[in-house]
Amino acid sequence: MYHAKCAALLLCMLLLTSCDLLSGQTGEKGEALDFENVEEARYLNVQDAQTAVFRTEAEWDAFWNAHVDAQEGADTPPPPQINFDEHMVIGLFWGTISGCRGDVDAIQDVRSRRSEIVVRAEDWTSGATCMALAQPRQVVKITQTDRPVTFSGEIPTN
């Protein structure tokens, strides 16, 4: 009886493992995707907390033009060039808050799962505090996909 139970358990484990292999998934977490900061995003002045996904140049340009912060007497900087045939842009904006930093590194990873892309952010607020107002942000580009993007962890909320 003992051997029959062990064989049944082993068979169940083998079947479950083969399901993951056949689906092409690397487990619950999914496959890690490369992401790169869009450094020019430092010119963005987004006063309301939000997340954003830009899949086209028109979406990106409209957002950029609505939120770009030109220095007095200077020309408005153009939006960073993104090849939207290959990439898309994801932004996390914490709105206007008391703080010292504009550019932050909150995004810990971006993962591809069966039906979605998941962006996970962690708390970035540790460190020095100050009484200035800032618009913290992180804007990254990833490989273009049509899957929905979801956010987890410490994300901006209104």
Side-chain angles (χ1 to χ4, degrees):
M1 185 68 171
Y2 173 76
H3 293 292
K5 287 182 180 179
C6 286
L9 180 61
L10 184 59
L11 181 59
C12 287
M13 290 173 40
L14 181 61
L15 287 172
L16 289 173
T17 302
S18 66
C19 287
D20 282 343
L21 291 174
L22 291 174
S23 71
Q25 292 300 306
T26 56
E28 176 78 18
K29 288 186 171 186
E31 176 187 354
L33 299 178
D34 291 333
F35 63 93
E36 179 182 334
N37 283 325
V38 177
E39 299 300 332
E40 297 88 349
R42 69 183 174 275
Y43 294 115
L44 289 173
N45 179 13
V46 181
Q47 296 182 6
D48 297 319
Q50 60 186 287
T51 58
V53 177
F54 308 98
R55 297 178 193 276
T56 68
E57 186 174 0
E59 292 171 338
W60 176 236
D61 287 352
F63 186 85
W64 180 269
N65 291 327
H67 295 93
V68 70
D69 186 21
Q71 300 297 318
E72 188 172 325
D75 291 335
T76 301
Q81 293 298 306
I82 306 290
N83 180 347
F84 283 96
D85 290 333
E86 296 179 10
H87 295 98
M88 57 192 267
V89 174
I90 298 171
L92 282 74
F93 305 95
W94 281 266
T96 301
I97 61 173
S98 179
C100 301
R101 298 168 45 191
D103 293 320
V104 299
D105 288 317
I107 297 174
Q108 299 303 302
D109 61 26
V110 179
R111 296 199 168 266
S112 174
R113 293 193 183 158
R114 285 187 180 114
S115 62
E116 66 185 355
I117 302 298
V118 179
V119 177
R120 184 176 61 87
E122 290 187 354
D123 184 17
W124 54 269
T125 58
S126 64
T129 58
C130 62
M131 296 306 295
L133 293 178
Q135 290 86 31
R137 78 200 75 69
Q138 186 171 10
V139 179
V140 299
K141 68 179 181 179
I142 67 168
T143 300
Q144 181 69 263
T145 179
D146 59 353
R147 284 182 277 171
V149 175
T150 61
F151 298 89
S152 69
E154 300 292 324
I155 59 171
T157 58
N158 265 338

